[in-house]
Amino acid sequence: SKRVRNTQLRRHFLIGNEAHVLPHPSFPSPPPDGHTKGWKVYVRPLPNGPDMTTWLKKVQFKLHHTYTDASRMIEAPGPFEVTETGYGEFGVEIRLYFAPESGEKAVYREHYLVLAPYGSDEQKARQSRENAVVAERLETIEFNEPTLDFFRAMTGE
Ligand code: SLL
């Protein structure tokens, strides 16, 4: 469809993971053999941020090949997340897919799972005490000269 010239649409969101030493109330007990951590990898809006599904239609999370069905596709409305247990860290390959009318190709990101406490001694001590590690970062996506249909869907104009 027609493109909106000289226009960029920019959106912020978070990619990250949380992790807990097992046993943990959010995970079934006992865990699978050898699994010491429970974790969740996610693509999510900023706290109190707007709904992402006006522009994000599905997210593929590709896990380490040691996982059964390593490729996990999560469709809108989400939540765009995968919860698993395991023993090791690895890079999760993430593909973001947009509405067909956008004409936008899927966008690739990687998130390296962080399962162990990190940072200063004080930060590590708190993460251990609370049995919660969170590693996330602000991501930006920019759509350059979006199609008119996609522009309207994203802006409500
Ligand atoms: C390594 N970085 O190079 C590690 C790989 C493997 C992750 C981490 C369990 C999978 C499952 C799991 O945690 N795999 O048993 O389903 O060796």
Side-chain angles (χ1 to χ4, degrees):
S1 92
K2 241 173 76 131
R3 288 190 173 264
V4 187
R5 297 296 168 202
N6 303 316
T7 298
Q8 289 83 37
L9 290 176
R10 194 174 298 118
R11 292 292 181 271
H12 295 300
F13 59 101
L14 298 174
I15 293 183
N17 78 264
E18 58 178 64
H20 312 279
V21 177
L22 298 175
H24 181 276
S26 304
F27 293 86
S29 212
D33 261 2
H35 286 201
T36 53
K37 305 282 170 56
W39 51 262
K40 177 186 289 186
V41 61
Y42 52 81
V43 173
R44 66 168 63 138
L46 303 188
N48 305 312
D51 175 35
M52 302 174 84
T53 59
T54 51
W55 55 274
L56 186 59
K57 295 309 170 191
K58 49 184 186 175
V59 178
Q60 182 196 47
F61 296 89
K62 229 169 138 204
L63 309 181
H64 195 262
H65 63 79
T66 47
Y67 283 89
T68 318
D69 305 321
S71 173
R72 312 283 175 89
M73 187 67 91
I74 311 296
E75 313 260 348
F80 300 109
E81 60 185 40
V82 170
T83 302
E84 265 296 353
T85 61
Y87 54 81
E89 301 182 333
F90 58 92
V92 181
E93 298 172 37
I94 298 172
R95 277 189 182 74
L96 310 175
Y97 292 87
F98 311 106
E101 72 268 18
S102 72
E104 301 285 341
K105 285 186 291 195
V107 164
Y108 177 78
R109 293 285 190 277
E110 186 184 43
H111 176 71
Y112 205 88
L113 280 182
V114 180
L115 301 183
Y118 65 95
S120 67
D121 288 349
E122 201 178 319
Q123 288 168 325
K124 284 190 270 202
R126 193 184 61 242
Q127 294 160 25
S128 298
R129 192 169 62 241
E130 296 174 355
N131 188 13
V133 170
V134 175
E136 66 181 18
R137 65 178 183 276
L138 178 65
E139 283 282 343
T140 304
I141 196 154
E142 192 170 77
F143 301 105
N144 213 17
E145 302 204 332
T147 64
L148 186 56
D149 287 348
F150 196 43
F151 180 85
R152 285 181 171 148
M154 287 187 76
T155 61
E157 285 172 37

